[in-house]
Amino acid sequence: MDRIAIVGGAQLQGEIPISGAKNSAIKLMAASILTDQPLRLTNMPRLADTKFLGRLLQQFGIEVTESDGPDGQETLFHAKEISSTFAPYDLVRQMRASFNVLGPLLARTGHAKVSLPGGCTIGARPVDLHIEALARLGAQMEMSEGYVSALAPNGLKGAEIEFPFVSVGATEHTLLAAVMAEGTTVLKNAAREPEIGDLARCLIAMGAKIEGLDTDTLVIDGVTSLHGADWSVIPDRIEMGSYAVAAAMAGGEVRITKARPELIQALTDKMMEAGVDIEPTSDGVIVRRDPARRLKAVNVTTEVYPGFATDLQAQFMALMTLAEGESLIHENIFENRFMHAPELGRLGAEIHVHAGEARVVGVEVLTAAQVMATDLRASISLVIAGLAAEGETSVGRVYHLDRGFERMEEKLSACGARVRRIKGDGDGR
């Protein structure tokens, strides 16, 4: 396995452009199943996750063509015919979000067999809500031997669905199915993440009828068919937030471009409270910090959007390891998302975890060590910590990193970071 090596101590100076949002792109890709006309997605990130889903779409007979167009990286999806509605375990297990092809396949063809996605290192994240919502839309669901077989021979029917708790995945999945269900579907207690708004607006561009965008109640009037469209993927707010934290950790001045700073307001508010200088620009932010001035410890609690994103919790924890005082980090979204804490401890951080709370006692310095990534967000938190640690930090299992960060080494190196990828075997330990 590859490793990432970071020699700490270099301040960052320069510009980092933000790629298209992974969490939006993969749901937009699933939307291509719904039409026999081409869907052209621009500002497309080239990531392990988008490649995984692209292979699955090709399994269904969908043409997937990557290119560099006038608007940058783009991918054309053409589901002229669906030749298969079977999603095997070997493909679905590589990325949980690929389970979301079930709804669009049902809406388009009336039948599908999709593998359950399996477990996850940061929590159970069951798909019960997805299955229950599709059943409410009239699908006949049967689970056997790790697969969900679904039938809707007379098409899906609109229904009123109230989610028992906010679920991004279930909201997106139900939306993808409901746009072609007969009648009206009302989704209550729906998630409001920007990626859901991006998906809804793309579906509208394809001919869907959706009201209540960016609220917790979505009203969908089903249509009989959708057409092709051109759509630009929104900037990745998690990548934007991660590089903002990286700039604050290393010190210096970084201009983050091709971004929408309003999408990470909860993070930047906390960063400024900690003593980081953040200046909005026309297409992003400038992050400044004098490393001679120590940060102040602040508390955070993860919440559903527009609250502090759970996907930025690990990164912010890395920042707080060098802050003066103690910070409390409450994780309310996933029950097992502090696995990066012991690895940060290997760098000299003082972190005490109890249930869903982590107490971070700031230290004067971090010291390089070999560490291991346990998930996508944990991996970038370790890279961020390595930027400030004395010596050379080695981060193993960076295949997690490749799932969500495009050209990470290139972007950081362009700003003066001493970071490189080392090809080879082993887990980095």
Side-chain angles (χ1 to χ4, degrees):
M1 296 180 190
D2 291 358
R3 294 178 290 127
I4 297 293
I6 312 106
V7 178
Q11 293 187 39
L12 303 186
Q13 301 283 344
E15 180 178 309
I16 297 179
I18 299 303
S19 301
K22 174 189 84 93
N23 287 341
S24 185
I26 55 182
K27 307 304 167 54
L28 294 168
M29 291 171 68
S32 70
I33 298 170
L34 294 167
T35 177
D36 62 2
Q37 297 180 21
L39 174 64
R40 176 175 169 261
L41 299 179
T42 59
N43 198 32
M44 271 292 289
R46 302 280 189 250
L47 300 165
D49 276 7
T50 56
K51 292 185 184 299
F52 289 152
L53 187 54
R55 294 190 198 109
L56 181 57
L57 295 179
Q58 289 173 325
Q59 164 91 6
F60 305 145
I62 299 173
E63 296 178 13
V64 180
T65 307
E66 295 182 349
S67 63
D68 291 324
D71 300 317
Q73 293 177 166
E74 63 178 57
T75 307
L76 187 71
F77 302 89
H78 193 184
K80 187 174 182 180
E81 294 182 359
I82 301 296
S83 58
S84 170
T85 58
F86 175 61
Y89 172 71
D90 282 346
L91 290 177
V92 176
R93 70 176 176 82
Q94 298 181 69
M95 184 182 62
R96 288 185 56 84
S98 57
F99 184 72
N100 285 36
V101 300
L102 177 61
L105 287 172
L106 265 178
R108 172 87 180 264
T109 70
H111 59 89
K113 183 177 181 180
V114 177
S115 170
L116 289 167
C120 178
T121 58
I122 61 170
R125 296 205 281 183
V127 293
D128 300 18
L129 293 185
H130 302 229
I131 293 170
E132 291 168 7
L134 293 175
R136 290 290 303 277
L137 294 176
Q140 302 167 22
M141 315 289 287
E142 179 181 330
M143 284 183 283
S144 177
E145 298 180 343
Y147 282 85
V148 177
S149 297
L151 289 174
N154 299 316
L156 299 173
K157 310 295 180 184
E160 182 173 302
I161 300 170
E162 182 168 0
F163 298 111
F165 56 87
V166 175
S167 169
V168 174
T171 300
E172 293 167 329
H173 199 171
T174 311
L175 179 61
L176 282 164
V179 290
M180 288 177 61
E182 181 183 343
T184 299
T185 297
V186 180
L187 303 184
K188 296 184 176 181
N189 200 28
R192 296 184 292 158
E193 268 66 8
E195 295 79 15
I196 294 173
D198 198 35
L199 172 62
R201 288 175 174 87
C202 177
L203 290 168
I204 291 171
M206 295 169 67
K209 298 179 179 179
I210 307 169
E211 296 181 354
L213 274 66
D214 305 318
T215 75
D216 62 1
T217 301
L218 296 174
V219 180
I220 306 108
D221 288 322
V223 297
T224 56
S225 65
L226 295 177
H227 53 71
D230 287 357
W231 193 257
S232 179
V233 181
I234 63 170
D236 195 313
R237 62 192 171 101
I238 306 304
E239 184 190 27
M240 173 173 42
S242 298
Y243 286 129
V245 173
M249 190 78 178
E253 179 175 314
V254 174
R255 177 183 290 268
I256 297 174
T257 62
K258 297 184 179 180
R260 289 174 53 186
E262 73 274 11
L263 301 183
I264 58 166
Q265 189 69 49
L267 170 68
T268 53
D269 285 349
K270 288 294 183 179
M271 291 177 64
M272 289 188 289
E273 186 181 340
V276 181
D277 182 16
I278 297 179
E279 176 187 337
T281 66
S282 59
D283 70 338
V285 293
I286 297 173
V287 181
R288 301 186 189 91
R289 188 176 83 82
D290 180 354
R293 293 177 53 200
R294 198 171 178 193
L295 295 167
K296 295 177 292 185
V298 297
N299 302 332
V300 298
T301 299
T302 62
E303 299 173 322
V304 297
Y305 188 84
F308 194 100
T310 181
D311 280 350
L312 290 169
Q313 176 257 107
Q315 298 89 311
F316 193 79
M317 181 183 288
L319 186 65
M320 289 296 96
T321 61
L322 291 177
E324 185 176 6
E326 295 185 9
S327 56
L328 292 178
I329 298 177
H330 296 269
E331 175 56 61
N332 287 331
I333 307 301
F334 293 124
E335 69 274 16
N336 193 25
R337 207 168 203 179
F338 285 140
M339 289 187 295
H340 46 280
E343 298 302 304
L344 288 171
R346 290 175 58 82
L347 298 174
E350 185 178 342
I351 305 170
H352 308 275
V353 175
H354 178 71
E357 179 181 282
R359 180 168 63 93
V360 184
V361 182
V363 297
E364 293 283 347
V365 295
L366 296 177
T367 305
Q370 288 185 315
V371 292
M372 180 178 67
T374 53
D375 61 68
L376 170 55
R377 308 312 175 186
S379 63
I380 192 66
S381 76
L382 297 173
V383 171
I384 288 170
L387 292 172
E390 295 180 351
E392 182 173 288
T393 297
S394 173
V395 182
R397 295 190 180 179
V398 295
Y399 58 85
H400 292 294
L401 194 71
D402 295 335
R403 291 183 49 230
F405 287 87
E406 184 176 21
R407 305 191 313 277
M408 186 273 298
E409 307 98 292
E410 176 186 325
K411 291 181 179 183
L412 286 175
S413 295
C415 293
R418 291 172 290 187
V419 54
R420 71 189 192 280
R421 180 176 292 254
I422 301 172
K423 299 286 186 179
D425 297 327
D427 64 3
R429 286 283 175 85

